Amino acid sequence: MPEFAEHPDVRTAVRYHQAVSRFAPDEELAAFFHPDAVHTQLPNALFPDGTVRRLPDLIAASRQGRSLLADQHFDVINAVASGTQVALEVTWSGTLAVPVGDLAAGQVLRAHIATFLEFRDGKITAQRNYDCYERLRPTTD
């Protein structure tokens, strides 16, 4: 684990991203969250209207991701903690398992992410993601 992970909530945030990277089972992902957790994804190239999800919808979205991606990887570049809040700078890459719109199976997507997490009793109560996707280039036949 990176040396910036001295704060217990930073350690949890990094472990959570590692679990998402390896497509952890629903129960394992749910264990990172407080039952009242809210995940907000601000508008981006894949979700132009953004999303707001409670825990059941967050787990369902993770399940959907498992069906769309052959693999994915999060690299936590930096972390800052203050009290019960953690900010992470993350890069993400994911390889499509199936075609999505104009994007072909096997295509690698990349994003630069800022995520802000709030914790209570060691559990994530809120997550806000600012996902900046690199240009999505449809494959040409």
Side-chain angles (χ1 to χ4, degrees):
M1 194 169 291
E3 62 186 59
F4 54 71
E6 298 289 329
H7 190 283
D9 292 336
V10 170
R11 286 194 298 272
T12 299
V14 171
R15 283 196 324 274
Y16 159 60
H17 280 79
Q18 291 168 339
V20 173
S21 282
R22 60 182 168 71
F23 301 109
D26 295 355
E27 309 78 39
E28 184 179 346
L29 287 181
F32 286 99
F33 290 90
H34 186 278
D36 297 330
V38 176
H39 179 276
T40 303
Q41 189 169 33
L42 283 295
N44 59 62
L46 295 183
F47 298 95
D49 295 322
T51 63
V52 177
R53 295 181 175 116
R54 294 266 181 205
L55 186 55
D57 295 328
L58 178 62
I59 298 302
S62 175
R63 202 175 303 125
Q64 181 184 23
R66 286 183 215 131
S67 68
L68 295 175
L69 296 171
D71 63 62
Q72 66 178 340
H73 179 75
F74 289 88
D75 185 23
V76 178
I77 297 166
N78 199 1
V80 176
S82 178
T84 59
Q85 296 188 36
V86 172
L88 299 179
E89 179 183 4
V90 179
T91 57
W92 172 85
S93 62
T95 305
L96 291 175
V98 297
V100 176
D102 293 339
L103 305 174
Q107 190 160 351
V108 177
L109 307 178
R110 290 183 176 78
H112 307 272
I113 300 168
T115 186
F116 297 85
L117 302 114
E118 297 175 25
F119 286 82
R120 183 177 345 134
D121 301 324
K123 303 279 187 179
I124 300 167
T125 59
Q127 179 177 353
R128 288 179 311 285
N129 273 46
Y130 298 81
D131 301 344
C132 300
Y133 287 89
E134 291 183 3
R135 186 178 301 263
L136 302 175
R137 299 184 190 277
T139 57
T140 54
D141 295 334

